[in-house]
């Protein structure tokens, strides 16, 4: 929370100076970008005549209308309540994106035809690879964090070497090293396990640091109280320290999960048929790259949103013991 | 003087690096005895009682608790700690558990008490510290005095042989001090063996069998409350008492 003051601040978007500035900026921007050839130009035909021949007058008139609509929109949103503001802004930004995609003239039938396979094969593989990697990475992270905080020299050395190494190399390189390097040692490894291994090790290293700082954030008094009851290290860690560290650990871990979901696309380089791989190959034959790339992009985004929702639910769950 | 000895401290010294915190401490706590430790801030009171359940290590001398000698390589430290309750200045309740769970986990996870029995026991001791109605709240929802009483109940649930208190009232608002002291007095009346670090002289007078005065890591004076308050022998004790009782 930013803990807002009880005195309301002035609504920025209702200040004449702010609105005027926005208006001027929009006017300049849309005058510079020539919009006479777009739908907007067509709509303005009654005023400016043949759009493409209207010259500077046409451009200026279009920019004027857009800037006016833009400022009116902002001022009106300023009157709405918080929730409605959030909803409207989200919807408007989405519409802007749709308008942007519109300019690609995407073939919807092609998307419709390929989408089922993109989901059944690509999305499923992506989810499956990231879910397993996330689980393994979390396990590694707990072990790594305990090792890094321990007074055992071996454990500390191994853990710090591990985090240093796997945070220090590009993930793409780790994927190659594991897929192409392990066979040199006589360990033949399939593409999917190799990808999972690379992702787990890399994210385990990052998450080790997150877990370490989470554990360190717990007051020393908790350790002492737990010990004074007679709990050993395992019980203290599992039942007292980690549960309290979780609210600290979860937001950055959620970040890592989302990031891992997208980084799982890197295993496409070793031929795993996940979302990114299919997005690049499915459109190749008919040169319909954009269709597949944008579909995959939307799928990634939807998955991320799901993870965000899950994360906020968990955070609310842990906020329980904090409310008075 | 035939009662069994619960804590036996013999010639104990302790250092933090080059700094000597405890110097040649000798102390016996017998079953049923109530001992109050006082002394100026930094004199090593907390450090001393934290050695009794080995939250701190001593370097010289011997500490024997319930017949078990405390040392760095011991494998049964848990057997000592489950029999030594400790109440901290800042309560140190587990904030992610309800009050009831705070009291149940020790018996359940350490003594292997079945859940139903642990619950009954927890409620019994919460009753004893007079807050059974708060059982399902989380610690943050309680006042300081209530939290400290829960902390006492949590320790009692382990049915310890001795209770250690480290300035249990010094983090409390003045109006909450008495509720905690009353709880402690009631505990003493029931025959609990207690070692209390506290500056509550009224409590010491009413409850203590012996008052121990520490200064600079040493036990300077050891006396019955009457002797201690009416005719302290050492000059340092007199100065301390005059400072504390001035207000
Ligand atoms: N972990 C530590 N490291 C170094 N010095 C410490 C540590 N803990 C306590 N001390 C020092 O030991 C002395 C005794 O501390 P303490 O037992 O807390 O005193 P008291 O409880 O009587 O106020 C103080 O001078 C304090 O600064
Ligand atoms: Mg102290």
């Amino acid at each position: 929370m930013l803990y807002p003051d009880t005195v309301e601040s002035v609504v920025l978007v209702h200040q004449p100076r702010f609105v005027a500035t926005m208006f001027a900026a929009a006017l300049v921007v849309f005058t510079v970008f020539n919009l006479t050839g777009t739908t907007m130009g067509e709509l303005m035909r009654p005023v400016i005549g043949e759009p493409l021949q209207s010259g500077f007058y046409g451009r200026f008139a279009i920019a004027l209308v857009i800037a006016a609509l833009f400022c009116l929109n902002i001022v009106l949103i300023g009157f709405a309540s918080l929730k409605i503001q959030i909803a409207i802004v989200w919807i408007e930004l989405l519409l802007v994106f749709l308008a942007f995609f519109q300019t690609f003239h995407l073939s919807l039938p092609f998307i419709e035809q390929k989408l089922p396979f993109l989901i059944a094969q690509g999305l499923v593989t992506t989810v499956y690879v990231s879910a397993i990697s996330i689980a393994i990475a979390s396990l590694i992270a707990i072990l790594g964090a305990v090792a890094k905080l321990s007074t055992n020299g071996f454990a500390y050395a191994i853990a710090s070497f591990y985090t240093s190494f796997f945070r220090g190399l590009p993930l793409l390189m780790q994927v190659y090293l594991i897929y192409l390097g392990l066979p040199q040692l006589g360990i033949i490894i399939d593409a999917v396990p190799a990808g999972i291994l690379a992702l787990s090790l890399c994210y385990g290293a990052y998450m080790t640091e997150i877990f370490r700082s989470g554990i360190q954030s717990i007051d020393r008094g908790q350790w002492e109280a737990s010990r004074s009851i007679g709990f050993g290290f395992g019980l203290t860690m599992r039942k007292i320290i980690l549960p309290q560290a979780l609210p600290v650990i979860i937001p950055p871990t959620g970040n890592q999960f989302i990031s891992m979901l997208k980084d799982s696309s890197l295993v496409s380089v070793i031929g795993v048929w996940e979302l990114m791989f299919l997005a690049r190959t499915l459109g190749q034959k008919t040169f319909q790259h954009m269709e597949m790339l944008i579909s995959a992009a939307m799928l990634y985004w939807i998955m991320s949103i799901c993870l965000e929702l899950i994360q906020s639910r968990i955070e609310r769950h842990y906020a329980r013991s904090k409310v008075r | 003087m035939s009662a069994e000895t619960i804590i036996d401290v013999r010639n104990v010294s302790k250092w933090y690096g080059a700094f000597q915190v405890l110097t040649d401490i000798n102390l016996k706590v017998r079953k049923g005895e109530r001992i109050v430790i006082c002394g100026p801030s930094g004199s090593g009171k907390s450090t001393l009682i934290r050695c009794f359940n080995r939250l701190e290590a001593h370097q010289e001398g011997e500490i024997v608790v319930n017949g078990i000698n405390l040392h760095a390589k011991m494998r049964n430290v848990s057997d000592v700690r489950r029999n030594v309750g400790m109440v901290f200045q800042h309560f140190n309740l587990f904030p992610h558990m309800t009050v009831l769970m705070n009291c149940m986990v020790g018996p359940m996870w350490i003594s292997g008490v079945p859940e139903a029995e642990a619950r009954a026991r927890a409620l019994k001791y919460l009753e004893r510290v007079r807050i059974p109605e708060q059982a399902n709240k989380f610690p943050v929802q309680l006042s300081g005095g209530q939290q400290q009483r829960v902390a006492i109940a949590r320790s009692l649930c382990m049915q310890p042989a001795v209770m250690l208190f480290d300035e249990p009232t010094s983090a409390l608002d003045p109006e909450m001090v008495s509720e905690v002291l009353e709880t402690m007095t009631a505990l003493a009346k029931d025959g609990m063996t207690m070692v209390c670090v506290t500056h509550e002289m009224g409590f010491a007078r009413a409850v203590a069998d012996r008052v121990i005065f520490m200064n600079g890591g040493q036990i300077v004076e050891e006396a019955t409350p009457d002797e201690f308050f009416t005719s302290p022998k050492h000059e340092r004790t007199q100065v301390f008492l005059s400072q504390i009782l001035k207000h």
Side-chain angles (χ1 to χ4, degrees):
Chain A
M1 276 303 273
L2 286 176
Y3 297 110
D5 202 341
T6 51
V7 178
E8 281 180 28
S9 52
V10 270
V11 181
L12 186 63
V13 294
H14 289 169
Q15 283 195 300
R17 275 182 58 181
F18 179 79
V19 178
T21 315
M22 291 304 284
F23 184 82
L27 195 61
V28 170
V29 167
F30 289 109
T31 311
V32 170
F33 287 105
N34 190 351
L35 293 175
T36 47
T38 65
T39 324
M40 202 56 211
E42 283 304 314
L43 286 174
M44 293 283 288
R45 187 183 283 272
V47 185
I48 57 175
E50 173 58 37
L52 292 179
Q53 263 126 57
S54 57
F56 182 76
Y57 166 67
R59 280 164 74 169
F60 187 74
I62 291 173
L64 201 65
V65 170
I66 293 182
L69 286 175
F70 180 63
C71 289
L72 182 67
N73 177 43
I74 288 183
V75 171
L76 286 181
I77 290 176
F79 285 111
S81 68
L82 180 73
K83 285 225 168 96
I84 296 179
Q85 278 180 343
I86 295 173
I88 294 181
V89 173
W90 259 84
I91 291 171
E92 286 187 352
L93 289 175
L94 273 178
L95 287 177
V96 170
F97 261 101
L98 276 184
F100 173 61
F101 289 149
Q102 197 68 43
T103 60
F104 294 139
H105 303 292
L106 302 177
S107 152
L108 287 180
F110 180 75
I111 293 181
E112 240 168 73
Q113 180 204 338
K114 297 288 188 192
L115 198 59
F117 183 64
L118 202 60
I119 292 177
Q121 170 64 40
L123 186 86
V124 167
T125 308
T126 292
V127 167
Y128 150 81
V129 166
S130 351
I132 295 184
S133 308
I134 282 165
I136 301 178
S138 307
L139 266 179
I140 295 178
I142 293 178
L143 291 180
V146 170
K148 272 199 120 167
L149 291 171
S150 80
T151 47
N152 182 320
F154 284 108
Y156 180 85
I158 291 173
S160 53
F161 184 89
Y162 160 70
T163 52
S164 166
F165 184 82
F166 282 95
R167 290 201 302 170
L169 297 197
L171 178 54
L172 186 58
M173 210 169 279
Q174 293 172 28
V175 173
Y176 278 130
L177 276 181
I178 288 176
Y179 188 56
L180 305 175
L182 282 187
Q184 301 285 326
L185 304 176
I187 306 168
I188 308 295
I189 188 164
D190 275 344
V192 172
I196 289 176
L197 192 59
L199 285 170
S200 312
L201 287 172
C202 179
Y203 275 82
Y206 283 106
M207 282 163 60
T208 292
E209 294 301 307
I210 295 174
F211 276 57
R212 182 185 57 76
S213 65
I215 291 171
Q216 271 181 320
S217 74
I218 304 304
D219 183 56
R220 176 176 183 164
Q222 292 292 312
W223 287 90
E224 291 178 347
S226 178
R227 291 222 167 102
S228 75
I229 291 177
F231 296 157
F233 177 78
L235 266 180
T236 301
M237 203 66 200
R238 279 206 330 273
K239 302 288 195 175
I240 308 296
I241 304 301
L242 276 182
Q244 291 186 61
L246 278 184
V248 186
I249 290 174
I250 282 173
T253 300
N255 244 352
Q256 294 291 307
F257 282 16
I258 290 172
S259 164
M260 148 112 65
L261 193 69
K262 291 169 295 162
D263 274 354
S264 68
S265 62
L266 286 176
V267 304
S268 65
V269 297
I270 53 175
V272 177
W273 280 31
E274 48 69 74
L275 199 47
M276 187 67 198
F277 183 85
L278 293 183
R280 274 190 298 148
T281 47
L282 283 181
Q284 237 159 21
K285 253 179 276 162
T286 46
F287 298 104
Q288 284 168 310
H289 295 291
M290 260 323 191
E291 276 81 354
M292 286 297 95
L293 285 180
I294 288 174
S295 308
M298 289 299 112
L299 288 176
Y300 274 119
W301 192 12
I302 291 169
M303 285 191 288
S304 300
I305 289 176
C306 292
L307 283 182
E308 278 170 15
L309 292 177
I310 294 173
Q311 179 186 339
S312 70
R313 284 203 80 143
I314 299 179
E315 275 176 40
R316 244 176 302 149
H317 172 81
Y318 281 112
R320 231 180 8 157
S321 62
K322 293 237 168 61
V323 288
R324 278 170 179 273
Chain B
M1 285 294 134
S2 60
E4 74 183 278
T5 304
I6 305 237
I7 299 175
D8 193 357
V9 183
R10 288 192 292 261
N11 308 103
V12 162
S13 296
K14 172 175 175 60
W15 288 263
Y16 281 122
F19 172 66
Q20 184 158 13
V21 217
L22 299 177
T23 309
D24 196 26
I25 303 280
N26 283 286
L27 178 66
K28 261 191 176 45
V29 182
R30 292 182 196 83
K31 194 172 165 60
E33 239 184 343
R34 274 92 51 173
I35 293 178
V36 164
I37 303 178
C38 59
S41 176
S43 57
K45 309 177 297 291
S46 301
T47 307
L48 178 62
I49 68 165
R50 288 156 59 84
C51 285
F52 295 170
N53 62 355
R54 197 134 178 121
L55 283 183
E56 297 283 355
H58 59 281
Q59 279 88 38
E60 267 179 20
E62 265 193 342
I63 302 180
V64 179
V65 176
N66 249 346
I68 301 176
N69 191 359
L70 306 186
H71 58 94
K73 299 211 183 311
M74 63 191 299
R75 290 286 159 261
N76 51 354
V77 68
S78 173
D79 292 341
V80 172
R81 287 177 178 160
R82 67 205 274 181
N83 282 314
V84 179
M86 186 154 210
V87 176
F88 300 87
Q89 185 175 357
H90 296 287
F91 332 136
N92 295 350
L93 292 176
F94 304 133
H96 59 302
M97 298 177 182
T98 60
V99 163
L100 189 64
M101 272 310 274
N102 262 281
C103 297
M104 286 168 64
V105 289
M108 271 169 23
W109 297 341
I110 293 298
S111 317
V113 174
E115 185 173 341
E117 197 188 321
R119 180 183 307 272
R121 195 192 280 186
L123 284 172
K124 178 178 121 190
Y125 285 110
L126 285 173
E127 193 97 43
R128 185 99 160 258
V129 300
R130 303 192 319 277
I131 34 175
E133 71 281 0
Q134 313 283 4
N136 291 313
K137 290 196 180 165
F138 283 98
V140 281
Q141 296 167 305
L142 270 51
S143 73
Q146 290 173 326
Q147 288 192 47
Q148 194 58 297
R149 285 185 283 149
V150 172
I152 294 174
R154 176 175 71 177
S155 289
L156 289 177
C157 280
M158 295 301 289
Q159 304 181 325
V162 52
M163 290 277 286
L164 310 176
F165 294 83
D166 189 1
E167 306 206 26
T169 56
S170 23
L172 296 176
D173 290 338
E175 79 272 19
M176 294 170 186
V177 169
S178 64
E179 66 185 57
V180 171
L181 289 180
E182 276 162 28
T183 306
M184 290 168 63
T185 308
L187 210 56
K189 292 246 160 63
D190 289 346
M192 175 59 77
T193 315
M194 295 162 70
V195 180
C196 313
V197 174
T198 181
H199 291 158
E200 297 295 338
M201 290 304 141
F203 172 80
R205 229 184 234 282
V207 169
D209 297 314
R210 271 188 290 160
V211 179
I212 285 170
F213 178 74
M214 284 183 73
N215 187 37
Q218 280 172 308
I219 294 184
V220 174
E221 185 153 353
E222 186 175 340
T224 64
D226 265 350
E227 285 170 4
F228 186 80
F229 290 111
T230 50
S231 54
K233 289 189 204 67
H234 288 262
E235 191 189 348
R236 192 66 192 78
T237 319
Q238 290 159 8
V239 173
F240 176 76
L241 281 177
S242 71
Q243 278 167 347
I244 271 205
L245 300 175
K246 209 158 36 186
H247 310 288

